[in-house]
Amino acid sequence: MQAAPTDAFRYEHLFRIDQVVEAQISPDGSRVAVVTERPKPETYYSRQRTIWLVPRAGGKPERVPAADAGSSLDNPVWSPDSRKILYRVARDKVNELVVRDLGSNQSRVLQPCGTKETVGVAIWSPDASRIAAICNGANPLTASVEEKKEEKGGLESKAIVATRSRLYDDSLAKRWSPERRAVVMDLTGKKRVEAFNSQYLLDEPGALQWREAETLWIVGTPANPFGGMAFVSGRTLHRYDVRQRRLDTLAGTVDTERMPLLTGPDAGFIVPVAGTVASPDPSQFRKTWELEPLQLFEFSNGKQGQDPLASLEIYVGRSAPFLWSRAGGDGAGNGTLYFQWFDRGSNRIKAFHADRTGQERWQDLTPAGKNVIAFSLSADGRTMALVTGDANTPNDVYLLDLKQPSTSPSRLTRFGDAVRDLFQVSDVETVRWRSKDDRFDIDGWLLKPADYQPGKRYPLILLVHGGPGVAFRNSFDAMHFEGAHQVPPELYLARGYMVLMANPRGDPGYGRQHQEAILEGWEFPTNYDLIPGVQEMVRRGYADPERLGIAGASYGGWVTAFAVTQTDMFKAASAHDPVIDTGISSAVAYRGNLLGNYWLHAGFVDNHLLDAPFPTSDPRKVNTPILLRFGLKEQPPMPSMFFVSGLEYFTYLHAHCKPVEMIMHPEEGHGIGDGETLRDYVDRDLAWFDYWLLGKGGLPYKPHTCHP
């Protein structure tokens, strides 16, 4: 038996851990294609991905070979006969598809897209003779100033003029989404046909559906200023006749932010319908956080039925997958719809049986407290492959027998076991407390050092997630590696801290009242949910009241900067790209178009943000040492709205001799992508807390002469 590791977690461990992120079961159910990933040391947001083939009966995973060590393989798609697998290969600037014949082990490279495009989702034709793929052009919003200078021979404007009709001509961001093409090609790679070209096409699972031999279904968004963005409400359905090369756009607009789901060759489909998330109608801005019931409507030839087939008040995330199975149906379009829903921090799988009546239509397939990040179905509808884990269990692949769903899923892979061979893994305890106003039970996760001793009080850091409107997930990677502001929680734990992560009001997965309570004001999650949670950890004997810290990014950075104006209980704070002053952030982000500015309507719907007071982080009330970090990279001619709103905050603290340090990253934005830059930030953050909470190390900032 191998001895348990004695090493504490180190930063380098991040890049040695393979996390399971996807599992695609073959149509015949005989094998599962598993995707694992790990961050790249040089570019944190880039992932090195690997595909493994695992027999259903178990056994050693077979790695799909890559052309070189730098290649990243992902998006595996089985052919209908389970004999071939299609996947995407990315290395440097190369982005291509590979078809691998699993019988002969021969591979063929396909290049459906142009040299300046990237390959998105891809699917097989029903007879496996062709593939369809989405090709993505460059995104204007991420194009660099240097590229624009090269194209234009210099900046387009020498002057900026504000008028009653517009603030300025934002020539670098005229379009909100890149041009996309839907391409069909045969497996020889010689015949490539463009089916559709539009900036309103989508590139996400379900955007291409090929159920009938000569009919390709293409999903897009309505033609509006938010075309193609993740939060747009509305989907359009296009039918492409592959043989005739004719495109028809169905007259009806699918009133949902999620994918239409085709259910059969009769072109009928069932659509999960939810409320508006972003709308040209300002009166609909409240929908940003209002929880809408999930409704299922039946469609036929683009026409929506009058009444929903079913309705359920439940939170289903925008990117949650929906899978349809005709197996067991009555042959008239009935069957089972499987989808992912978010419940108290965990993604769970629910089934809707269209051929049943009454309460038996809804069925929970996975238990509370287990988080499912991906799932797939065999063609016969008998087996579901799940990628699942929890805060203490790394993700692995499990198989669920859908004919006996009450039985526990059987474990197929053991990639997660390798984590515990690297370092001493900390334990996570689920905790719950009552909000200060006695309205909600607040869920939290208390992370304890690997050598935790019961009865001993520890320094504690409260981590606050971004958003708002998102939530911490009950998953191993989120709790141990991701955290809230790019500093892995395991690094805090290895230094002797406890870490508390919580889902306050405004977060999804806890019901309508909990989610919509944030509309009453941003100050309430901080004062009523988060600060009381830290106080509860002190009361229970976990935390040392004299060594408390707080950290967060974006909205979590705002909470951090705001919290230290409400209490002096925190002895150190760290805010990563915080929205210090929402009014200033709104003014900087304003483009003369209310809809183009998230901060003017996200949660501030009762009054126009610039008309009504909003709780702002007042630096005059700050006594807590605070570390600020800002990315300066932003679309010109405006600077980063986050940095501008934080500049006055820092200036006041600095001028009044308050302990403050501000880190600025000129080439980084709202997060840190460069590996060397991230490592430097992590070290500075740890040193900040070590000095103020543990009394270790030297003063992490340079004192200066001032007049308090």
Side-chain angles (χ1 to χ4, degrees):
M1 182 176 179
Q2 185 175 354
T6 57
D7 290 344
F9 181 82
R10 301 190 308 275
Y11 182 81
E12 293 77 13
H13 285 138
L14 275 179
F15 311 103
R16 296 172 56 190
I17 297 170
D18 288 312
Q19 300 179 40
V20 181
V21 295
E22 187 178 358
Q24 293 293 337
I25 191 168
S26 61
D28 64 5
S30 64
R31 284 181 283 195
V32 179
V34 180
V35 180
T36 61
E37 70 171 23
R38 63 173 64 180
K40 294 182 179 180
E42 63 277 10
T43 51
Y44 179 77
Y45 286 117
S46 298
R47 294 293 190 264
Q48 185 77 23
R49 292 183 174 175
T50 304
I51 298 176
W52 309 81
L53 300 181
V54 185
R56 177 175 178 169
K60 185 177 180 180
E62 174 192 350
R63 182 171 182 167
V64 174
D68 54 65
S71 296
S72 182
L73 280 54
D74 64 4
N75 289 9
V77 186
W78 290 96
S79 63
D81 60 7
S82 301
R83 296 179 179 178
K84 300 182 181 70
I85 191 167
L86 174 73
Y87 55 89
R88 183 172 59 186
V89 179
R91 62 180 184 277
D92 295 329
K93 296 183 179 180
V94 177
N95 198 280
E96 58 195 18
L97 295 175
V98 172
V99 176
R100 185 171 183 81
D101 187 312
L102 300 179
S104 64
N105 280 329
Q106 297 297 310
S107 296
R108 178 180 299 149
V109 176
L110 301 177
Q111 294 178 322
C113 303
T115 56
K116 294 186 178 181
E117 295 177 312
T118 60
V119 182
V121 295
I123 59 172
W124 292 88
S125 64
D127 63 359
S129 66
R130 292 161 291 182
I131 62 103
I134 292 290
C135 299
N136 295 287
N139 191 332
L141 287 179
T142 58
S144 68
V145 179
E146 289 72 20
E147 289 172 341
K148 291 299 177 181
K149 284 182 178 180
E150 184 177 344
E151 292 176 9
K152 302 293 183 181
L155 287 177
E156 190 167 333
S157 300
K158 297 292 184 180
I160 301 170
V161 180
T163 72
R164 291 182 61 186
S165 61
R166 69 185 183 188
L167 177 60
Y168 66 88
D169 182 10
D170 191 1
S171 59
L172 297 186
K174 288 182 178 178
R175 294 181 305 181
W176 286 86
S177 59
E179 289 289 339
R180 289 194 173 104
R181 299 187 303 135
V183 175
V184 176
M185 69 183 307
D186 63 13
L187 293 189
T188 66
K190 297 180 179 179
K191 295 181 179 180
R192 183 171 61 181
V193 177
E194 181 181 288
F196 197 14
N197 185 332
S198 170
Q199 71 181 103
Y200 301 110
L201 292 183
L202 295 175
D203 180 24
E204 53 189 91
L208 296 176
Q209 301 186 46
W210 203 335
R211 302 297 181 91
E212 302 139 67
E214 300 299 333
T215 301
L216 174 66
W217 297 89
I218 307 171
V219 182
T221 66
N224 59 51
F226 292 104
M229 294 192 74
F231 57 81
V232 68
S233 178
R235 293 290 184 256
T236 55
L237 194 62
H238 311 276
R239 179 171 50 204
Y240 179 70
D241 188 313
V242 180
R243 179 176 300 169
Q244 300 295 326
R245 298 187 181 181
R246 186 183 70 245
L247 183 76
D248 297 319
T249 299
L250 301 187
T253 296
V254 182
D255 185 21
T256 176
E257 66 191 69
R258 305 183 182 93
M259 287 294 169
L261 196 81
L262 302 181
T263 60
D266 57 356
F269 53 93
I270 290 179
V271 180
V273 177
T276 303
V277 170
S279 167
D281 180 1
S283 67
Q284 297 298 310
F285 285 163
R286 176 176 286 275
K287 298 292 186 180
T288 302
W289 265 278
E290 283 189 342
L291 178 63
E292 293 291 325
L294 175 72
Q295 293 182 304
L296 307 180
F297 286 86
E298 188 170 11
F299 278 64
S300 180
N301 294 321
K303 295 182 179 180
Q304 178 178 323
Q306 293 293 321
D307 300 314
L309 295 176
S311 179
L312 184 67
E313 188 167 291
I314 194 172
Y315 181 82
V316 181
R318 289 191 297 271
S319 60
F322 293 80
L323 297 179
W324 177 263
S325 174
R326 290 290 296 275
D330 59 11
N334 291 330
T336 302
L337 178 68
Y338 300 94
F339 59 92
Q340 198 177 74
W341 65 292
F342 195 58
D343 176 45
R344 306 197 76 90
S346 297
N347 286 317
R348 300 174 62 187
I349 305 300
K350 188 179 284 287
F352 170 74
H353 302 286
D355 53 350
R356 298 185 188 178
T357 59
Q359 297 299 318
E360 293 184 358
R361 282 190 162 190
W362 300 104
Q363 181 183 18
D364 289 333
L365 294 180
T366 56
K370 285 293 181 181
N371 184 59
V372 179
I373 69 165
F375 69 102
S376 60
L377 295 169
S378 60
D380 61 8
R382 291 191 59 93
T383 308
M384 177 179 288
L386 302 165
V387 179
T388 183
D390 58 35
N392 286 299
T393 310
N395 289 331
D396 260 307
V397 181
Y398 294 76
L399 299 180
L400 177 64
D401 185 347
L402 293 175
K403 298 302 179 182
Q404 301 181 28
S406 60
T407 59
S408 298
S410 59
R411 187 175 181 180
L412 180 66
T413 65
R414 295 191 171 274
F415 289 99
D417 292 350
V419 174
R420 300 186 182 277
D421 295 334
L422 285 176
F423 61 91
Q424 290 182 304
V425 178
S426 301
D427 183 60
V428 181
E429 178 185 346
T430 302
V431 291
R432 183 174 293 174
W433 60 90
R434 193 69 178 166
S435 64
K436 185 177 180 180
D437 58 355
D438 199 30
R439 289 179 62 187
F440 305 110
D441 287 331
I442 306 300
D443 281 359
W445 291 267
L446 182 66
L447 287 66
K448 303 174 181 178
D451 58 355
Y452 168 72
Q453 301 175 28
K456 177 182 176 181
R457 288 187 180 271
Y458 288 81
L460 180 142
I461 298 175
L462 170 68
L463 297 185
V464 188
H465 64 64
V470 299
F472 281 124
R473 292 172 291 114
N474 172 34
S475 72
F476 192 89
D477 58 319
M479 295 294 158
H480 296 259
F481 307 138
E482 292 178 10
H485 69 310
Q486 293 195 273
V487 178
E490 276 286 358
L491 286 177
Y492 292 127
L493 298 166
R495 300 165 97 88
Y497 297 98
M498 278 188 173
V499 171
L500 178 64
M501 303 162 74
N503 287 341
R505 69 191 67 194
D507 288 7
Y510 296 87
R512 178 182 294 273
Q513 291 185 351
H514 186 281
Q515 186 170 7
E516 296 177 5
I518 197 171
L519 296 172
E520 301 166 11
W522 274 20
E523 66 269 35
F524 299 117
T526 304
N527 287 326
Y528 289 175
D529 305 336
L530 296 173
I531 291 177
V534 176
Q535 294 169 333
E536 180 64 14
M537 296 306 104
V538 172
R539 190 191 68 81
R540 297 184 188 183
Y542 289 121
D544 182 344
E546 300 302 318
R547 295 188 293 171
L548 302 175
I550 182 172
S554 193
Y555 164 73
W558 178 89
V559 170
T560 299
F562 178 71
V564 297
T565 70
Q566 305 296 296
T567 177
D568 291 337
M569 63 186 288
F570 297 110
K571 308 307 178 185
S574 178
H576 181 299
D577 233 25
V579 190
I580 297 291
D581 188 314
T582 52
I584 293 178
S585 293
S586 298
V588 175
Y590 186 53
R591 260 57 172 174
N593 176 5
L594 182 67
L595 299 180
N597 181 10
Y598 171 84
W599 300 108
L600 283 179
H601 64 264
F604 317 130
V605 295
D606 290 330
N607 295 287
H608 194 294
L609 177 60
L610 301 181
D611 292 338
F614 188 81
T616 297
S617 302
D618 186 347
R620 295 171 297 179
K621 300 178 181 179
V622 177
N623 296 309
T624 301
I626 185 166
L627 177 68
L628 304 171
R629 177 270 162 192
F630 293 100
L632 304 185
K633 191 174 184 180
E634 186 64 29
Q635 292 295 324
M638 288 297 188
S640 166
M641 63 181 182
F642 301 96
F643 167 68
V644 172
S645 76
L647 186 56
E648 64 171 352
Y649 186 85
F650 166 78
T651 301
Y652 181 91
L653 296 177
H654 190 270
H656 288 76
C657 293
K658 300 293 182 72
V660 61
E661 183 169 89
M662 182 164 65
I663 305 168
M664 292 167 284
H665 295 139
E667 297 302 318
E668 300 290 342
H670 201 42
I672 305 172
D674 177 71
E676 185 177 351
T677 304
L678 178 59
R679 177 61 185 267
D680 176 77
Y681 172 71
V682 168
D683 289 343
R684 291 177 185 274
D685 180 273
L686 294 172
W688 188 262
F689 283 111
D690 283 353
Y691 180 81
W692 296 109
L693 299 188
L694 303 182
K696 294 182 178 180
L699 189 67
Y701 71 101
K702 293 182 179 180
H704 65 286
T705 302
C706 60
H707 302 283

